[in-house]
Amino acid sequence: MDVRLDKAVFTAEALLVSAVACGPPPPCPGCRARARRVHSTYERDLAERPLTGRKLQIRLRVRRFFCDRASCRRRTFVEQVDGLSERYRRSSLGTKQWLRAVADELGGRAGERLCRRLHLAAGRSKLLSLLEPPPVPEHAPRVLGVDEFAFRKGCTYGTVLVDVEAGRVVDVLPDRTAETFADWLRAHPGVEIICRDRATAYTRAIREAAPQALEVADRWHLLQNLAAAVEKTCHQHRNCLRKHAQDEAPAAPEPVLLELPPPDLPRTQIIERTRHRHADVCRLVEAGWTISATGRRLNLDRKTVRRFRDTDIEQLLASAQERRPAGVLEPFKSYLNTRFTETEGQVSGNRLFLEIRERGYQGSRQVVRRHLAALRAGTAQPVRADIPSPRKITSWIMRPREALTDSQEQRLLEVRLACPDITRACDLARAFADLVRHQRGYLLLEWIRQAETDAPKPVSGFAGFLRRDLDAVTAGLTLTWSSGVVEGHVNRVKTLKRAMYGRASFDLLRTRILTQS
């Protein structure tokens, strides 16, 4: 380094170093002609990395040179010391590298707090200004993974592109439209395999811009879609499970002296919200609104709008009712209702409280009194039948058989005995899961034929989707490639968003994603 040290001054908090640049005359940055004459000298202060726990400040004297070439628009310029200084910067190049590393790992506010501990003068705006996205390769990777992520869930989305072989992010797109992704594929040729989920926009872009690429449907998304179809089947056949539970239940005690009034569905917050949301979605759909426009108007995700459009209100209310917590009194409601009918309602809450406390009740006396008042007013909620929820049944079906406990296998067997449609959906789901786990793509077409022949409607609809995307699904069940790496980067994007409180611009978010991949 062409620098001569003049003096060093030590203080309790800092170290001040005076130095002079003594290198040969540099070339003009405009025309690259070698300088010959010195115009003047001046001092500039550079913040260097700390030394022995103290701030290090360099006062560097540099020369300003004339440019003698008449065709050059630059008349004077200042020399720069290689490895130490650059134009318009009041810190050394070593400090700049430190600050950029801090910004890459921590971002703005957290990086600013660390810099204060390290005796580095840098605010969050300065740290973020040092971030520069790496250049995007001219050619796309051989195996490309694509998936969406939410800038704001239900409103705006972006697209992340990942090199599946290298496991790093290639680029980030500002939206998830087919046009944007197709333009990127045209500008970056060379992709051979593309791993994607079931998003139709990406499929359309691939067929337009890269028809030679082999599409691979992600196996995890296929199992997720199948689980949704199985759960919908369980929802549609809740009455079968409820009827079976009532038939298996012991007979009610005789005589029944008082018949309880038929209870109405409780007016809880989730029930009322489900009613209003279903009415709003149906009203906008009947008015000709699209799913996307309806979602933007009601601040809902497109999948939520589609579910409220295609599902009956009774099924939605039943699903909302099942999400209600059981409560500590739930196992004893059947006994309380029986005692209430036997005494024609002439029983005190204190007496019932003492009776159920002897049977293991751990709740308060006030809960029993409220339930007794609801029985007298005719607003009591019905006693839940001992039937598993559709989501729990789906989890038993989708998990491997060896992962189930003995009690879970017994409960699933009872469900299968109660409803033949759920039994058929269970058999088909387990057969498809075996195809996925063992990569038997050559058996996929036979499975689709069986599902389309005698499967429940949600499962047959899933089979129809597989037939429309047969090549990509077959490749997903045959090749080893998947979107697992892409999903990992999507989760990392969510972490970066939360670290920046969701207020980062697209350029800043893209820069941080690319620099940390």
Side-chain angles (χ1 to χ4, degrees):
M1 188 177 295
D2 298 324
V3 173
R4 183 182 72 248
L5 181 64
D6 278 355
K7 64 177 180 179
V9 178
F10 291 87
T11 63
E13 298 181 354
L15 172 61
L16 178 62
V17 175
S18 298
V20 179
C22 57
C28 172
C31 63
R32 310 305 301 172
R34 182 71 61 177
R36 298 180 181 180
R37 295 186 299 151
V38 176
H39 176 275
S40 59
T41 62
Y42 75 97
E43 291 182 344
R44 56 184 300 189
D45 292 334
L46 300 176
E48 183 52 281
R49 290 160 289 185
L51 182 64
T52 65
R54 302 179 184 180
K55 296 180 180 179
L56 178 56
Q57 190 76 16
I58 299 178
R59 184 159 294 171
L60 181 64
R61 179 171 291 277
V62 293
R63 297 166 290 181
R64 181 179 292 274
F65 290 90
F66 284 105
C67 181
D68 296 327
R69 179 169 290 183
S71 59
C72 182
R73 299 181 59 183
R74 190 183 300 273
R75 290 291 172 256
T76 62
F77 61 91
V78 178
E79 65 177 335
Q80 305 295 334
V81 179
D82 293 339
L84 181 62
S85 66
E86 64 180 355
R87 296 179 65 190
Y88 308 125
R89 185 164 297 280
R90 301 179 66 180
S91 60
S92 66
L93 294 181
T95 305
K96 178 184 176 182
Q97 295 175 358
W98 275 29
L99 296 179
R100 180 175 292 172
V102 170
D104 287 342
E105 298 298 331
L106 299 179
R109 296 181 185 274
E112 182 181 2
R113 292 193 295 268
L114 178 61
C115 288
R116 283 199 298 265
R117 300 291 297 272
L118 297 178
H119 302 289
L120 294 173
R124 59 186 180 91
S125 299
K126 180 179 179 179
L127 290 174
L128 296 179
S129 66
L130 295 175
L131 295 175
E132 296 179 358
V136 179
E138 295 182 359
H139 293 275
R142 189 179 73 91
V143 183
L144 179 68
V146 56
D147 201 356
E148 63 183 23
F149 67 93
F151 292 112
R152 184 181 178 188
K153 191 173 182 179
C155 297
T156 55
Y157 288 81
T159 300
V160 59
L161 306 177
V162 179
D163 185 348
V164 177
E165 291 181 306
R168 61 179 181 84
V169 177
V170 177
D171 202 355
V172 181
L173 306 182
D175 53 47
R176 59 177 180 182
T177 61
E179 293 75 13
T180 302
F181 185 38
D183 293 340
W184 192 93
L185 290 176
R186 295 188 187 97
H188 303 80
V191 63
E192 299 179 6
I193 301 174
I194 299 179
C195 301
R196 57 165 177 82
D197 57 7
R198 59 175 297 183
T200 57
Y202 298 144
T203 304
R204 188 166 63 252
I206 295 171
R207 293 172 181 174
E208 292 177 0
Q212 80 287 347
L214 175 63
E215 300 180 53
V216 178
D218 183 55
R219 294 184 288 274
W220 184 87
H221 285 92
L222 294 176
L223 291 176
Q224 184 189 41
N225 300 146
L226 176 60
V230 173
E231 184 175 355
K232 191 172 183 180
T233 302
C234 296
H235 270 294
Q236 293 177 351
H237 296 274
R238 290 282 289 171
N239 291 333
C240 298
L241 304 180
R242 190 174 292 109
K243 185 177 182 301
H244 180 76
Q246 293 174 355
D247 295 341
E248 295 293 329
E254 297 289 343
V256 177
L257 302 177
L258 180 65
E259 184 179 356
L260 294 177
D264 296 330
L265 202 61
R267 301 181 65 86
T268 58
Q269 182 179 2
I270 189 172
I271 293 294
E272 295 301 316
R273 185 180 64 191
T274 302
R275 283 197 180 102
H276 294 320
R277 184 171 290 177
H278 181 268
D280 293 339
V281 170
C282 292
R283 174 174 52 83
L284 294 178
V285 170
E286 291 175 358
W289 289 51
T290 63
I291 292 180
S292 299
T294 303
R296 288 191 296 269
R297 177 64 179 272
L298 301 178
N299 198 20
L300 298 175
D301 187 72
R302 296 170 66 251
K303 297 177 183 178
T304 304
V305 175
R306 188 180 291 109
R307 180 168 65 89
F308 274 83
R309 184 197 64 178
D310 299 339
T311 309
D312 295 335
I313 182 62
E314 291 79 8
Q315 183 176 343
L316 293 173
L317 292 176
S319 177
Q321 175 72 3
E322 289 162 3
R323 291 197 293 270
R324 176 174 57 89
V328 68
L329 189 63
E330 193 69 28
F332 306 94
K333 282 185 177 180
S334 180
Y335 176 81
L336 294 177
N337 293 353
T338 302
R339 293 283 291 120
F340 182 81
T341 57
E342 289 176 350
T343 60
E344 298 183 357
Q346 304 301 319
V347 62
S348 66
N350 291 332
R351 182 176 178 180
L352 291 178
F353 169 74
L354 295 176
E355 292 178 5
I356 64 175
R357 191 174 66 174
E358 294 177 355
R359 289 166 172 78
Y361 175 65
Q362 299 293 330
S364 65
R365 194 187 306 262
Q366 188 64 28
V367 176
V368 180
R369 290 175 178 173
R370 282 200 299 265
H371 180 69
L372 188 59
L375 288 175
R376 290 174 177 147
T379 60
Q381 299 177 4
V383 179
R384 295 180 177 181
D386 187 19
I387 58 176
S389 65
R391 181 165 297 182
K392 185 173 294 186
I393 298 174
T394 304
S395 68
W396 295 339
I397 293 175
M398 298 305 298
R399 272 186 282 176
R401 294 178 179 85
E402 58 272 11
L404 299 178
T405 63
D406 294 339
S407 61
Q408 291 173 345
E409 289 183 355
Q410 180 63 31
R411 295 295 300 276
L412 182 58
L413 178 60
E414 295 175 359
V415 171
R416 291 169 60 93
L417 294 175
C419 181
D421 287 332
I422 296 181
T423 301
R424 182 55 178 161
C426 176
D427 295 338
L428 289 172
R430 286 182 165 178
F432 186 82
D434 289 339
L435 297 184
V436 173
R437 295 188 180 102
H438 299 93
Q439 296 184 357
R440 298 170 179 170
Y442 57 91
L443 299 176
L444 176 63
L445 194 56
E446 179 62 27
W447 185 92
I448 293 176
R449 293 194 186 99
Q450 294 179 7
E452 290 178 339
T453 302
D454 58 352
K457 187 175 180 180
V459 180
S460 62
F462 171 75
F465 155 72
L466 297 183
R467 182 178 290 278
R468 291 192 299 271
D469 201 16
L470 184 60
D471 294 338
V473 176
T474 304
L477 301 186
T478 305
L479 304 178
T480 58
W481 304 111
S482 70
S483 298
V485 178
V486 187
E487 294 295 335
H489 283 286
V490 170
N491 291 332
R492 191 169 58 84
V493 170
K494 296 177 182 178
T495 304
L496 289 176
K497 281 177 46 190
R498 295 188 184 101
M500 293 184 285
Y501 305 101
R503 296 194 296 264
S505 63
F506 168 73
D507 294 334
L508 176 59
L509 183 61
R510 175 178 179 271
T511 300
R512 292 208 64 189
I513 293 173
L514 294 179
T515 53
Q516 291 192 11
S517 64

